[in-house]
Amino acid sequence: MSTLQAPRGTFDVLPEQSALRLAVEVAARRILEAAGYRRIETPAFEDTDVFRRTVGESTDIVQKEMYTFVDGGGRSLTLRPEITAPIVRAYHEHGMHKLAQPVKLWYLSSCFRYERAQAGRYRQFWQIGAEAIGSDDPAVDAESILLLAAILDELGVRGVRLRLSSLGTPASRTRYRELLQAHLRANEDRLSADVRDRIDLNPLRAFDADHPGTREVMRSAPLLLDHLDADDAEHFATVRALLGAGGLEYEIDATLVRGLDYYTRTVFEFTSDALGSQSGVGGGGRYDGLAEQLGAGHTPGMGWAAGIERILLAAEERPVPEPVCDLYVAVAGDGEAERTAAFLLAAEARRAGVPAQLELAGRSVKGQFKQAARLRARYVAIVGPTGIELKDMESGEQTPAESPSAAVATVLRGRFAA
Ligand code: AMP
């Protein structure tokens, strides 16, 4: 591997992309904070158990995608492959169950998964996410889904579809699992080897299979949605009614399986037709049992995560904002006094709130004007042995400035006039 290349599946966020990513952050912050969410940041790595116990031993994430390492103290740590479990860990560690419930938290952080790298699928990627912890009200589910829809809409994500389902509670799922396992066993000879090996461990994943025989078998498989408890069915009906009332279109997809084991009741996924095979833009659901899996008391929760790279791939193109330079400070001659005066002028301009850049590459005066034009500087200050001249790059007018403050004042007036 070349030391001049980022590791496979990772990427550098260059300045132009950074500006576009900021738009995602700004939209998420505005929409989520207006709904009472506050930002949280957890460490990049956690005790491995945080994920093992919640995401689930049988999932692809835990079985093959985690970056797990042993630190100098002999502890097993894992770079977070997802951020819900760490947030529930933090909620309990910091006694947030004593606050008014639900506690609403949002985040923007990177995750790490050793996945097959391809377009839209990386080994380090960034998620925005929202978690509402401490209430099992179905209105939390509907509100949370509507908030993600609003963010995707604001960012111009194209061809958005919402799939929705309910996984019920662990009790109804256990009963359903047995039904599904019986169906899979009865048709074992038509299944792919992979699915057959996982009948005991994770029969639900059979719905995800591409294998033609397995797909055929799954067409007549019993569906969990038809086997929900009365309470779960009612919860789901309310979520649906509220989403409908909120004007959000969705499809019920009884086969929606998320790659994490902690979900209960509502699950959902937004996809975009503008993406290829990695069409998931964001998804999530309710996780009423997650806190107990971590050893805390029963604490219902609901949340989602959406991938920033996927959002940007699926969003309408928007112009990359140009960096602003209102004042370019050029130096005429190579005297120490002029260079210091130029340095101080740039600093004074910045203190006054004027975006200013100083000549730093020893260019000729002509070269400095070229550089100022490249930066689209509104003014150029030429600091020379006889004082400061200020050139308005729009009108071409050049006038002497009495002092550095006078030069800065002229630039400020020009900014407000513009
Ligand atoms: P998940 O936790 O798997 O439900 O992922 C939530 C969202 O994160 C997905 O809808 C994607 O937008 C994004 N995502 C998940 N895995 C990756 C990846 N390997 N690369 C880029 N984005 C990802």
Side-chain angles (χ1 to χ4, degrees):
M1 192 201 304
S2 162
T3 49
L4 286 179
Q5 267 177 6
R8 190 167 163 67
T10 70
F11 53 87
D12 300 303
V13 178
L14 299 177
E16 307 82 65
Q17 288 133 19
S18 182
L20 295 174
R21 296 165 78 94
L22 183 62
V24 179
E25 177 172 351
V26 168
R29 168 175 295 132
R30 193 181 61 69
I31 290 170
L32 294 171
E33 297 200 345
Y37 285 77
R38 295 170 66 209
R39 186 154 177 182
I40 185 168
E41 183 82 47
T42 61
F45 52 83
E46 296 276 343
D47 282 339
T48 300
D49 261 0
V50 169
F51 306 110
R52 265 190 198 292
R53 291 206 213 160
T54 58
V55 173
E57 293 283 356
S58 67
T59 59
D60 281 351
I61 293 183
V62 169
Q63 289 209 335
K64 40 188 183 194
E65 295 173 4
M66 296 207 301
Y67 284 93
T68 297
F69 59 98
V70 176
D71 76 357
R75 298 170 203 88
S76 175
L77 299 172
T78 294
L79 293 181
R80 58 184 170 211
E82 65 98 48
I83 313 187
T84 302
I87 288 180
V88 173
R89 193 263 309 134
Y91 169 96
H92 288 283
E93 181 171 340
H94 302 287
M96 291 190 225
H97 58 283
K98 293 185 213 129
L99 305 176
Q101 306 293 303
V103 173
K104 299 177 187 169
L105 302 164
W106 79 277
Y107 58 83
L108 188 171
S109 308
S110 58
C111 295
F112 306 84
R113 293 184 193 171
Y114 185 69
E115 292 197 83
R116 202 159 51 81
Q118 61 187 93
R121 196 204 259 165
Y122 311 101
R123 292 180 176 169
Q124 180 180 8
F125 56 96
W126 271 257
Q127 289 186 335
I128 49 166
E131 313 290 347
I133 308 175
S135 164
D136 62 5
D137 190 324
V140 172
D141 308 36
E143 180 179 271
S144 157
I145 296 171
L146 279 170
L147 289 170
L148 178 52
I151 292 170
L152 300 180
D153 184 53
E154 164 130 345
L155 292 167
V157 175
R158 294 164 294 163
V160 173
R161 285 172 204 248
L162 168 60
R163 292 188 299 146
L164 183 71
S165 190
S166 173
L167 299 178
T169 45
S172 52
R173 226 164 33 240
T174 306
R175 279 195 302 278
Y176 166 74
R177 246 174 100 101
E178 285 162 10
L179 280 177
L180 181 60
Q181 282 167 334
H183 176 78
L184 291 172
R185 285 209 187 90
N187 295 284
E188 211 162 321
D189 50 333
R190 291 154 69 199
L191 301 176
S192 70
D194 191 36
V195 168
R196 212 179 311 133
D197 289 346
R198 291 221 241 176
I199 294 182
D200 286 326
L201 206 56
N202 196 351
L204 276 171
R205 293 308 295 271
F207 284 109
D208 267 354
D210 289 328
H211 176 256
T214 307
R215 290 179 74 98
E216 189 58 39
V217 171
M218 296 320 284
R219 263 197 272 282
S220 58
L223 295 175
L224 177 54
L225 262 187
D226 300 327
H227 296 269
L228 295 181
D229 289 350
D231 283 354
D232 296 346
E234 191 186 326
H235 183 100
F236 191 47
T238 311
V239 173
R240 292 183 57 178
L242 290 172
L243 288 178
L248 198 58
E249 282 181 26
Y250 58 84
E251 299 155 34
I252 297 294
D253 181 350
T255 67
L256 181 61
V257 190
R258 313 229 350 109
L260 305 105
D261 277 356
Y262 53 62
Y263 288 112
T264 50
R265 294 189 156 175
T266 314
V267 283
F268 70 96
E269 184 158 61
F270 283 95
T271 54
S272 163
D273 296 342
L275 296 174
S277 59
Q278 302 302 312
S279 63
V281 178
R286 188 161 267 292
Y287 44 82
D288 294 345
L290 201 160
E292 283 154 297
Q293 287 159 354
L294 286 174
H298 177 74
T299 317
M302 164 79 202
W304 49 256
I308 292 195
E309 296 75 31
R310 301 258 179 101
I311 289 178
L312 289 174
L313 282 170
E316 286 149 15
E317 294 224 352
R318 50 172 83 204
V320 178
E322 294 275 349
V324 176
C325 174
D326 280 345
L327 176 65
Y328 191 81
V329 182
V331 194
D334 49 13
E336 200 54 39
E338 290 91 83
R339 283 158 51 124
T340 305
F343 181 85
L344 293 176
L345 173 58
E348 180 166 345
R350 291 181 198 125
R351 270 198 302 278
V354 171
Q357 292 201 41
L358 174 68
E359 167 59 22
L360 292 172
R363 295 180 180 87
S364 66
V365 170
K366 195 170 154 207
Q368 294 183 64
F369 270 98
K370 264 200 195 149
Q371 175 64 2
R374 242 179 259 134
L375 295 169
R376 295 174 212 273
R378 178 73 215 292
Y379 289 91
V380 177
I382 308 113
V383 182
T386 55
I388 304 171
E389 295 264 327
L390 196 61
K391 180 162 183 178
D392 181 331
M393 298 292 277
E394 256 165 44
S395 65
E397 200 182 324
Q398 184 167 327
T399 45
E402 270 172 30
S403 63
S405 319
V408 171
T410 307
V411 177
L412 270 174
R413 271 198 300 280
R415 281 191 92 189
F416 286 117

